Amino acid sequence: MSRICKDGFDEECIKEQREVYGIAYTQNILSGRWKYLILWFLKFKERRYNEIKTFLGGISQGSLTMQLRELETDGLINRKIYPEVPPRVEYSLTSKGEALIPIIDLMEEFGKRFGDKVD
C-alpha cells in the first residue's frame, strides 16, 4: 500500500488498493492524539474553545488549535465566529463528523469491555 502524505492519497493508490482504501482514509482523517475525544465531546452540543481545552486537560493551546484546524479542513467540524467583543467561537459537528460518531461509540464500548483486561 502506498504511504499517505499530508494531502491524502493519489488516484493510483485509490484504484490499486480499493479494498482497504476506506479504512486507510478513515485512519488518516482521525490521526492525531486528541481528535477522537474532540469529536466525542462535540457529539452532545456546540462547544467553545476553552470548554474543549478544559475537557482535554493536558493539551497545549498549539496542539488543540492544530487538531481543530485539521478536523475543520477535513470537513468533520464547523467553526462559527460570532461578531462580538471579545469574539466568541463555537465548534460543532458537521454531518460528516456526525457520521463518525457510531464508530467512536463502538471504540468506547470496546475500551470499556477490554481496556482493563490483561492478556
Side-chain angles (χ1 to χ4, degrees):
M1 170 148 222
S2 298
R3 291 181 57 108
I4 304 168
C5 68
K6 68 177 178 65
D7 299 319
F9 300 90
D10 61 29
E11 289 295 319
E12 185 176 323
C13 173
I14 294 170
K15 290 176 187 172
E16 290 177 3
Q17 305 294 331
R18 197 73 197 153
E19 64 278 358
V20 296
Y21 169 72
I23 295 168
Y25 171 79
T26 305
Q27 178 187 15
N28 189 43
I29 64 170
L30 289 175
S31 65
R33 180 176 178 186
W34 305 99
K35 288 182 181 178
Y36 301 96
L37 296 173
I38 293 168
L39 292 170
W40 180 87
F41 192 56
L42 291 176
K43 82 177 186 176
F44 301 110
K45 65 178 187 173
E46 291 182 344
R47 305 286 184 159
R48 295 180 72 174
Y49 181 92
N50 282 333
E51 289 178 283
I52 299 168
K53 188 167 182 348
T54 300
F55 168 71
L56 296 175
I59 191 169
S60 70
Q61 182 173 336
S63 291
L64 179 55
T65 299
M66 182 177 69
Q67 299 282 280
L68 290 170
R69 284 184 185 152
E70 289 175 6
L71 288 167
E72 185 180 8
T73 298
D74 288 330
L76 301 176
I77 64 170
N78 290 312
R79 179 176 182 257
K80 185 172 182 182
I81 303 169
Y82 293 88
E84 301 172 354
V85 177
R88 177 171 48 114
V89 178
E90 290 185 342
Y91 295 90
S92 61
L93 295 175
T94 63
S95 58
K96 185 176 178 182
E98 288 173 354
L100 280 170
I101 295 302
I103 295 168
I104 293 170
D105 288 342
L106 286 172
M107 291 172 63
E108 178 184 8
E109 290 303 315
F110 181 88
K112 286 177 180 176
R113 184 172 174 194
F114 297 107
D116 60 350
K117 296 181 180 173
V118 178
D119 291 333

